[in-house]
Amino acid sequence: MSRGVPFAANPLLAVKLPAYRSRLVMLLVALAFLALALRAVYLQAVSDDFLQRQGEVRYGRTIELPASRGQVLDRNGVVLAKSLPAQAVWASPEDLKASPEQLKRLAALLEMPERELRSRLADEDKTFVYLKRQVEAPVAEQIAELRIPGVHQRKEYKRYYPEGAALAHVVGFTNVEDAGQEGIELAHERMLAGTAGSRRVIRDRLGRAIEDVGAIRHPRDGGDLQLSIDSKIQYHAYSALRDAVAAHKAKAGAVVVLDAHTGEILALANLPTYDPNERRQLSGAQLRNRVMTDTFEPGSTLKPFTTALALDGGKVTPKTVIDTAPGRLKIGSATIGDSKPHGALTVEEVLQKSSNVGTVKLAMTMPPQRMWELFTGVGFGQAPQIGFPGAVAGRVRPHRSWKPIEHATMSYGHGISVSLVQLARAYTVFTNEGRLLPLTMLRSDQSVPGVQVVSPKTARAVSHMLELAAGPGGTAPKAQVAGYRVAGKTGTAYKQENGRYVRKYIASFVGYAPASDPRLVVAVMIDEPTAGQHYGGQVAAPVFSRIVGDALRALRVPPDAPLSNQMIPANPVQESM
C-alpha cells in the first residue's frame, strides 16, 4: 500500500455537501452579530430610556414629604386638634438581619405579639412592609437604637386632641393616613390637609438615602381653622350632661349651646362619646352625633310656635281666656288630655301650664297650611346648612295630608320629628325680635340679620310667656339660675319603636338667658331616663340651669335678677304629654 495516498481520498470520507452551505452559515452568523451590534448601539446610544429606567428602579426612590395638618382652634385660640411629629416603622424582609433578642425587644416596643411581628417579616421576597404607623418620637428613638439592619423609619404626623372625649363629636378624627374621617376634620378636609411634597434620592441596598438626585417639591402645610366653639362652655356642657345621664340612668343625652345673636355654636356634646386619641374599640353608639343626626318628637317644646302663630295672626292676645275644662278634648275617635284639669286659662297661662287642650284649641283656629308654613319657616323639615357631616332634615309631613287629629297633635309636638340643633335654632326667633338665625360652626364676629318669621311684638310676647313657663308657676322651675332671668319650655314625649309608641321617654328642655337680653340658647335632650323621673322639667331643666349658670359666669355676663336663689315649688306643674 502506498504511503502517499491522502486521507480524504478514502471514498467513505469524501465530502459531498455543496460549497454554498458553508457560506450561508457564515452569512447568518455574521447577520446575527450585526443585529446584536445594532441593538446595542440603539439601546446605548439612540434610545437609552429603558435601561435608565430599569437601573433607576434599583437605586432610585421618590420620597414623599408629608405636610403638617392645620390646627383646629376654639374661638379663643385654644388648640382643639394638632399634629405631632411621629414615625412610620417599616422593614425590608429580604434585608432583615436580627437576633431573636432584637426581635423580642422590637415587638415589645411596637406593642404587638412577637408571633405577629415574625409573620409580617416572614416573606423574604417583599422589599417593603409596614410594622407600625404613627409611632411616637420617644418609642421611635428606642427602635432606632436597636440598629436592626432592614428596619427603617419614615417621618409622618400623628393627630392629637387635647380636649379628648368632651369635644369628640365636634372635632372628629383622622385615619392613619391623616385624612379626616368624622366631624370638623372631615368637613374641612381640604383646608386642613395641605399638600405633600416629594424628593428623588439614591438609596443603598439597605434602603438608606445617600444622595438627593431630583428636584424637591416642598410640602404645603394645611391651614388653621378657628371654630365658634368655646372650650370653657363646652366643658361645662359636657360635664353637666355626663352627670345627668349617669344620675338618671339614661341611654343617651345631647346638648347644644348657641350664641343667641350670631347663631354660632358655642358647645355641642353627646353621650355616649369616645376619646379620639384612643379609638381601638369604637361602637356606632359612641360615634353618633345625636345633636345633628338623631330626630325625635319634640313634644311641648313646640307649643311656643303654635302660640306665636295664633298671636301673629291676630286670633288671640296673651290675655284671651281659653276654657280647657274638663281637661280633655275629643277629636274624632281620639281624646287629647292634660296632666290635670286647669279650667279657664289665659293664652299665656296655657303655655305656662303646658296645656295640651288649650294649645289644640289655639291650633284649630288656624288652617293646617299656616301651621305648616311656620314649622318650615323656623327650619323644621330641612337639614341645617352648617357645613357639618350628618345633619338631618327631620320630618314635617305636607299639610294637605293632615287629618284633624294630626293637625291637633302636631300643635303640641307629636307627629313631627326634629333634631336637637334644629330645635335650638328655632328658638332664636324669640331671642332676635322674631328673626330666625343661620347657624355656623366657625367663629364669626359679625351679627347676621336672619329671616323674619313672626313680628317683633309676637316674639316679645311669647318670650314673656316662656319666662313664666320656666318660673315657679310653670313646668320648669328647676331651670332657674340664681342672678339671671331665664325663659324656656319643657318637653316630654313617648318614643316610637316599630311604628308604635312605647313607654320609653325623651325628656327635653330648650331655653335662653338672660331673658332681658338673651346671650345663650341651650337645648338639652335626655334619652330614656330610667331612674324614676322622666319629665323634661325634672330631668332636662336642671341640666339647662347648670350649663347656663356656669357659662354666663364664665362669659362675665352681668346678672339681671336678684342673686338670691329662686323659690322652687315642691310639686312643679308637669307638662301634658
Side-chain angles (χ1 to χ4, degrees), residues 165-399:
L167 264 163
H169 293 98
V170 173
V171 181
F173 57 87
T174 60
N175 62 10
V176 72
E177 299 293 342
D178 218 18
Q181 301 297 294
E182 292 284 343
I184 289 295
E185 295 276 32
L186 173 61
H188 295 272
E189 167 69 15
R190 182 173 298 180
M191 177 180 179
L192 291 168
T195 305
S198 64
R199 65 187 176 109
R200 289 290 293 171
V201 300
I202 292 177
R203 289 179 179 265
D204 63 12
R205 67 178 301 273
L206 298 180
R208 298 172 298 192
I210 58 175
E211 182 182 354
D212 286 325
V213 296
I216 295 177
R217 187 180 74 217
H218 295 284
R220 180 178 62 81
D221 292 340
D224 292 345
L225 186 67
Q226 190 164 30
L227 304 184
S228 59
I229 294 292
D230 187 313
S231 57
K232 291 181 180 178
I233 297 177
Q234 177 71 29
Y235 173 76
H236 292 311
Y238 172 73
S239 299
L241 180 66
R242 178 194 59 202
D243 294 346
V245 168
H248 294 283
K249 298 179 181 179
K251 176 182 178 181
V255 169
V256 61
V257 182
L258 309 181
D259 186 300
H261 293 304
T262 66
E264 294 171 285
I265 296 178
L266 302 178
L268 186 158
N270 295 277
L271 280 174
T273 186
Y274 62 95
D275 184 351
N277 298 303
E278 184 58 56
R279 307 189 300 273
R280 293 183 181 179
Q281 295 182 335
L282 276 182
S283 67
Q286 290 175 301
L287 285 171
R288 276 169 60 185
N289 187 345
R290 299 170 190 271
V291 171
M292 299 284 186
T293 64
D294 281 21
T295 60
F296 58 97
E297 290 190 345
S300 296
T301 56
L302 242 63
K303 290 176 180 176
F305 301 99
T306 303
T307 304
L309 185 60
L311 292 173
D312 215 43
K315 301 294 184 180
V316 293
T317 70
K319 299 301 181 182
T320 298
V321 176
I322 296 177
D323 185 10
T324 66
R328 296 186 303 277
L329 182 63
K330 196 171 184 63
I331 298 179
S333 61
T335 300
I336 292 170
D338 287 337
S339 58
K340 67 177 184 178
H342 294 295
L345 298 174
T346 63
V347 170
E348 63 183 19
E349 287 174 333
V350 166
L351 189 56
Q352 180 187 24
K353 307 297 183 183
S354 195
S355 168
N356 287 346
V357 173
T359 304
V360 170
K361 286 190 172 182
L362 289 175
M364 291 305 179
T365 65
M366 301 166 288
Q369 182 176 350
R370 291 283 294 121
M371 189 181 297
W372 180 86
E373 288 173 350
L374 179 65
F375 287 166
T376 56
V378 296
F380 301 148
Q382 306 154 60
Q385 301 300 310
I386 56 178
F388 200 85
V392 297
R395 183 169 179 262
V396 180
R397 290 175 51 244
H399 61 86

Side-chain angles (χ1 to χ4, degrees), residues 95-108:
D95 298 325
L96 184 72
K97 295 179 181 179
S99 67
E101 183 60 30
Q102 285 178 315
L103 286 179
K104 183 178 180 180
R105 178 61 179 156
L106 179 60

Side-chain angles (χ1 to χ4, degrees), residues 377-459:
V378 296
F380 301 148
Q382 306 154 60
Q385 301 300 310
I386 56 178
F388 200 85
V392 297
R395 183 169 179 262
V396 180
R397 290 175 51 244
H399 61 86
R400 291 185 181 86
S401 64
W402 291 6
K403 299 176 182 178
I405 186 60
E406 293 171 325
H407 183 189
T409 58
M410 285 189 195
S411 71
Y412 58 88
H414 291 267
I416 179 175
S417 67
V418 302
S419 67
L420 195 66
V421 73
Q422 286 179 313
L423 198 54
R425 182 195 179 201
Y427 270 67
T428 63
V429 167
F430 306 124
T431 65
N432 287 275
E433 297 288 308
R435 297 187 302 273
L436 179 73
L437 298 181
L439 300 185
T440 179
M441 288 290 293
L442 305 180
R443 178 172 178 173
S444 173
D445 295 322
Q446 298 179 349
S447 59
V448 290
V451 178
Q452 199 75 40
V453 178
V454 297
S455 69
K457 180 181 178 182
T458 295

